[in-house]
Coordinates of all heavy atoms in Angstrom, one line a residue:
S1 N -2.6 11.7 -11.7 CA -3.4 12.8 -12.3 C -4.8 12.8 -11.8 O -5.5 13.9 -11.8 CB -3.3 12.7 -13.8 OG -3.8 11.5 -14.3
D2 N -5.4 11.7 -11.3 CA -6.7 11.6 -10.8 C -6.8 12.2 -9.4 O -7.9 12.5 -8.9 CB -7.3 10.2 -10.8 CG -6.5 9.2 -10.0 OD1 -5.5 9.7 -9.3 OD2 -6.8 8.0 -10.0
G3 N -5.6 12.5 -8.8 CA -5.6 13.0 -7.4 C -5.9 12.0 -6.4 O -5.9 12.3 -5.2
K4 N -6.3 10.8 -6.8 CA -6.7 9.7 -5.8 C -5.7 8.6 -5.7 O -5.7 7.9 -4.7 CB -8.1 9.2 -6.2 CG -9.2 10.2 -6.2 CD -10.5 9.6 -6.7 CE -11.6 10.6 -6.6 NZ -12.9 10.1 -7.2
T5 N -4.9 8.3 -6.7 CA -4.0 7.3 -6.7 C -2.7 7.8 -6.2 O -2.1 8.7 -6.8 CB -3.8 6.7 -8.1 OG1 -5.0 6.3 -8.6 CG2 -2.9 5.5 -8.1
I6 N -2.2 7.3 -5.0 CA -1.0 7.8 -4.4 C 0.0 6.7 -4.2 O -0.4 5.6 -3.7 CB -1.3 8.5 -3.0 CG1 -2.3 9.7 -3.3 CG2 -0.1 9.0 -2.3 CD1 -2.9 10.2 -2.0
T7 N 1.2 6.9 -4.5 CA 2.3 5.9 -4.3 C 3.4 6.6 -3.5 O 3.9 7.7 -4.0 CB 2.8 5.3 -5.6 OG1 1.7 4.8 -6.3 CG2 3.9 4.3 -5.3
I8 N 3.8 6.0 -2.4 CA 4.9 6.6 -1.6 C 6.0 5.5 -1.6 O 5.7 4.4 -1.2 CB 4.4 6.9 -0.2 CG1 3.3 7.9 -0.2 CG2 5.6 7.5 0.6 CD1 2.6 8.0 1.1
T9 N 7.1 5.9 -2.1 CA 8.3 4.9 -2.1 C 9.2 5.5 -1.0 O 9.8 6.6 -1.1 CB 9.0 4.9 -3.4 OG1 8.0 4.5 -4.4 CG2 10.1 3.9 -3.4
F10 N 9.4 4.7 0.1 CA 10.2 5.1 1.2 C 11.7 4.8 1.0 O 12.0 4.0 0.2 CB 9.7 4.4 2.5 CG 8.3 4.7 2.9 CD1 7.2 4.0 2.5 CD2 8.1 5.9 3.7 CE1 5.9 4.3 2.8 CE2 6.8 6.2 4.0 CZ 5.7 5.4 3.6
F11 N 12.5 5.5 1.7 CA 13.9 5.4 1.6 C 14.4 4.0 1.8 O 15.5 3.6 1.3 CB 14.7 6.4 2.5 CG 14.4 6.1 4.0 CD1 15.3 5.3 4.7 CD2 13.3 6.7 4.6 CE1 15.1 5.0 6.0 CE2 13.1 6.4 6.0 CZ 14.0 5.6 6.7
N12 N 13.7 3.2 2.6 CA 14.1 1.8 2.9 C 13.6 0.8 1.9 O 13.8 -0.4 2.0 CB 13.7 1.4 4.3 CG 12.1 1.3 4.4 OD1 11.4 1.6 3.5 ND2 11.7 0.9 5.6
G13 N 12.9 1.3 0.8 CA 12.4 0.4 -0.2 C 11.0 0.0 -0.1 O 10.4 -0.6 -1.0
D14 N 10.4 0.3 1.1 CA 9.0 0.0 1.3 C 8.2 0.9 0.3 O 8.6 2.0 0.0 CB 8.5 0.3 2.7 CG 9.0 -0.7 3.7 OD1 9.8 -1.6 3.4 OD2 8.6 -0.5 4.9
V15 N 7.0 0.3 -0.1 CA 6.1 1.1 -1.0 C 4.7 1.0 -0.5 O 4.2 -0.1 -0.2 CB 6.2 0.5 -2.5 CG1 5.2 1.3 -3.4 CG2 7.6 0.5 -3.0
K16 N 4.1 2.2 -0.4 CA 2.7 2.3 0.0 C 1.9 2.9 -1.1 O 2.2 3.9 -1.6 CB 2.5 3.2 1.3 CG 1.1 3.3 1.8 CD 1.1 4.2 3.0 CE -0.3 4.3 3.6 NZ -0.3 5.2 4.8
Q17 N 0.8 2.1 -1.5 CA -0.1 2.6 -2.6 C -1.4 2.8 -2.0 O -2.0 1.9 -1.3 CB -0.1 1.6 -3.7 CG 1.1 1.5 -4.5 CD 1.0 0.4 -5.6 OE1 0.9 -0.8 -5.4 NE2 0.8 0.9 -6.9
I18 N -2.0 3.9 -2.3 CA -3.4 4.2 -2.0 C -4.2 4.3 -3.3 O -3.9 5.1 -4.1 CB -3.6 5.5 -1.1 CG1 -2.7 5.3 0.1 CG2 -5.1 5.7 -0.8 CD1 -2.6 6.6 0.9
M19 N -5.1 3.4 -3.5 CA -5.9 3.3 -4.7 C -7.1 4.2 -4.7 O -7.5 4.7 -3.6 CB -6.3 1.9 -4.9 CG -5.2 0.8 -4.8 SD -3.8 1.2 -5.8 CE -4.3 0.7 -7.4
P20 N -7.7 4.5 -5.8 CA -8.9 5.4 -5.9 C -10.0 5.0 -4.9 O -10.7 5.9 -4.4 CB -9.3 5.4 -7.3 CG -8.1 5.1 -8.1 CD -7.3 4.1 -7.2
D21 N -10.2 3.7 -4.7 CA -11.2 3.2 -3.8 C -10.8 3.2 -2.4 O -11.5 2.6 -1.5 CB -11.8 1.8 -4.3 CG -10.7 0.7 -4.1 OD1 -9.6 1.0 -3.7 OD2 -11.1 -0.4 -4.3
Q22 N -9.6 3.7 -2.1 CA -9.0 3.8 -0.7 C -8.4 2.5 -0.2 O -8.1 2.4 1.0 CB -10.0 4.4 0.3 CG -10.4 5.8 0.0 CD -9.2 6.8 0.0 OE1 -8.5 6.9 0.9 NE2 -9.0 7.4 -1.2
T23 N -8.3 1.5 -1.1 CA -7.6 0.3 -0.8 C -6.2 0.7 -0.6 O -5.6 1.4 -1.4 CB -7.7 -0.8 -1.9 OG1 -9.1 -1.2 -2.0 CG2 -6.9 -2.0 -1.6
V24 N -5.5 0.1 0.5 CA -4.1 0.5 0.8 C -3.3 -0.8 0.6 O -3.6 -1.8 1.1 CB -3.9 1.0 2.2 CG1 -2.5 1.3 2.5 CG2 -4.8 2.3 2.4
I25 N -2.3 -0.7 -0.3 CA -1.3 -1.8 -0.5 C 0.0 -1.4 0.0 O 0.6 -0.4 -0.5 CB -1.3 -2.2 -2.0 CG1 -2.7 -2.5 -2.6 CG2 -0.3 -3.3 -2.3 CD1 -2.7 -2.5 -4.1
Y26 N 0.5 -2.1 1.0 CA 1.8 -1.8 1.5 C 2.8 -2.9 1.3 O 2.5 -4.0 1.7 CB 1.7 -1.5 3.0 CG 2.9 -0.7 3.6 CD1 2.9 0.6 3.9 CD2 4.1 -1.4 3.8 CE1 4.0 1.3 4.4 CE2 5.2 -0.7 4.3 CZ 5.2 0.7 4.6 OH 6.2 1.3 5.1
Y27 N 3.9 -2.6 0.7 CA 4.9 -3.6 0.4 C 6.1 -3.4 1.3 O 6.7 -2.3 1.3 CB 5.4 -3.6 -1.1 CG 6.5 -4.5 -1.4 CD1 6.3 -5.9 -1.4 CD2 7.8 -4.1 -1.5 CE1 7.3 -6.8 -1.7 CE2 8.9 -5.0 -1.8 CZ 8.6 -6.3 -1.9 OH 9.6 -7.2 -2.1
Y28 N 6.4 -4.4 2.2 CA 7.6 -4.3 3.1 C 8.8 -4.9 2.3 O 8.8 -6.1 2.1 CB 7.3 -5.1 4.3 CG 6.2 -4.5 5.2 CD1 4.9 -5.0 5.0 CD2 6.4 -3.6 6.1 CE1 3.8 -4.5 5.7 CE2 5.4 -3.0 6.9 CZ 4.1 -3.5 6.7 OH 3.1 -3.0 7.5
A29 N 9.7 -4.1 2.0 CA 10.9 -4.5 1.1 C 11.7 -5.6 1.8 O 12.0 -6.6 1.2 CB 11.7 -3.3 0.7
D30 N 12.1 -5.3 3.1 CA 13.0 -6.3 3.8 C 12.4 -7.7 3.9 O 13.0 -8.7 3.7 CB 13.4 -5.8 5.2 CG 14.5 -4.7 5.1 OD1 15.1 -4.5 4.0 OD2 14.7 -4.1 6.2
A31 N 11.1 -7.7 4.3 CA 10.4 -9.0 4.5 C 9.8 -9.5 3.2 O 9.3 -10.7 3.2 CB 9.3 -8.8 5.5
K32 N 9.8 -8.8 2.1 CA 9.2 -9.1 0.8 C 7.8 -9.6 1.0 O 7.4 -10.6 0.6 CB 10.1 -10.2 0.1 CG 11.4 -9.8 -0.3 CD 12.2 -10.9 -1.0 CE 13.5 -10.5 -1.5 NZ 14.5 -10.2 -0.4
T33 N 7.1 -8.8 1.8 CA 5.7 -9.1 2.2 C 4.8 -7.9 1.7 O 5.1 -6.8 1.9 CB 5.6 -9.3 3.7 OG1 6.4 -10.3 4.1 CG2 4.2 -9.5 4.1
T34 N 3.6 -8.3 1.2 CA 2.6 -7.3 0.8 C 1.4 -7.4 1.7 O 0.9 -8.5 1.9 CB 2.2 -7.5 -0.7 OG1 3.3 -7.5 -1.5 CG2 1.2 -6.5 -1.1
H35 N 1.0 -6.2 2.2 CA -0.2 -6.1 3.1 C -1.2 -5.2 2.5 O -1.0 -4.1 2.3 CB 0.3 -5.6 4.5 CG -0.7 -5.5 5.5 ND1 -0.5 -5.0 6.8 CD2 -2.1 -5.8 5.5 CE1 -1.6 -5.0 7.5 NE2 -2.6 -5.5 6.7
T36 N -2.3 -5.8 2.1 CA -3.4 -5.1 1.4 C -4.6 -4.9 2.4 O -5.0 -5.9 3.0 CB -3.9 -5.8 0.2 OG1 -2.7 -6.0 -0.7 CG2 -4.9 -5.0 -0.6
T37 N -5.0 -3.7 2.6 CA -6.2 -3.4 3.4 C -7.3 -2.8 2.6 O -7.1 -1.8 1.9 CB -5.8 -2.4 4.5 OG1 -4.7 -2.9 5.3 CG2 -6.9 -2.2 5.5
Y38 N -8.4 -3.6 2.5 CA -9.5 -3.2 1.7 C -10.5 -2.3 2.6 O -10.5 -2.3 3.8 CB -10.3 -4.4 1.2 CG -9.4 -5.2 0.2 CD1 -8.6 -6.2 0.7 CD2 -9.4 -4.9 -1.1 CE1 -7.8 -7.0 -0.2 CE2 -8.6 -5.6 -2.0 CZ -7.8 -6.7 -1.5 OH -7.0 -7.4 -2.4
T39 N -11.3 -1.5 1.9 CA -12.2 -0.6 2.6 C -13.2 -1.3 3.4 O -13.7 -0.7 4.4 CB -12.9 0.4 1.6 OG1 -13.5 -0.4 0.6 CG2 -11.9 1.3 0.9
D40 N -13.5 -2.5 3.1 CA -14.5 -3.3 4.0 C -13.8 -3.9 5.2 O -14.5 -4.5 6.0 CB -15.2 -4.4 3.2 CG -14.2 -5.5 2.7 OD1 -13.0 -5.4 3.0 OD2 -14.7 -6.4 2.0
G41 N -12.5 -3.6 5.4 CA -11.8 -4.1 6.6 C -11.0 -5.4 6.4 O -10.2 -5.8 7.3
L42 N -11.2 -6.1 5.3 CA -10.4 -7.3 5.0 C -9.0 -6.9 4.8 O -8.6 -5.9 4.1 CB -10.9 -7.9 3.7 CG -10.1 -9.1 3.2 CD1 -10.1 -10.3 4.1 CD2 -10.6 -9.6 1.8
E43 N -8.1 -7.7 5.4 CA -6.6 -7.5 5.3 C -6.1 -8.7 4.7 O -6.4 -9.8 5.2 CB -6.0 -7.1 6.6 CG -6.4 -5.8 7.2 CD -5.7 -5.5 8.5 OE1 -4.4 -5.6 8.5 OE2 -6.3 -5.1 9.4
V44 N -5.2 -8.6 3.7 CA -4.6 -9.8 3.1 C -3.1 -9.6 3.1 O -2.5 -8.5 2.7 CB -5.0 -10.0 1.6 CG1 -4.3 -11.1 1.0 CG2 -6.6 -10.1 1.5

């Protein structure tokens, strides 16, 4: 409802979340791995 929080759930089970601060959290379902990219460039 804030127009800034976006969640995309892909057909293969992957999930991409874009947070209000533009942090991107991507979950790879097959690998059970989460990849977070922060606005300052840090990737976890």
Side-chain angles (χ1 to χ4, degrees):
S1 55
D2 61 4
K4 296 178 180 177
T5 306
I6 300 169
T7 303
I8 303 166
T9 304
F10 295 93
F11 64 91
N12 64 357
D14 288 3
V15 178
K16 179 179 182 178
Q17 291 180 287
I18 302 169
M19 308 309 280
D21 68 356
Q22 296 303 300
T23 295
V24 177
I25 303 166
Y26 196 104
Y27 176 74
Y28 296 91
D30 281 349
K32 295 182 177 67
T33 299
T34 302
H35 182 179
T36 305
T37 305
Y38 295 92
T39 53
D40 65 2
L42 172 66
E43 294 183 46
V44 179

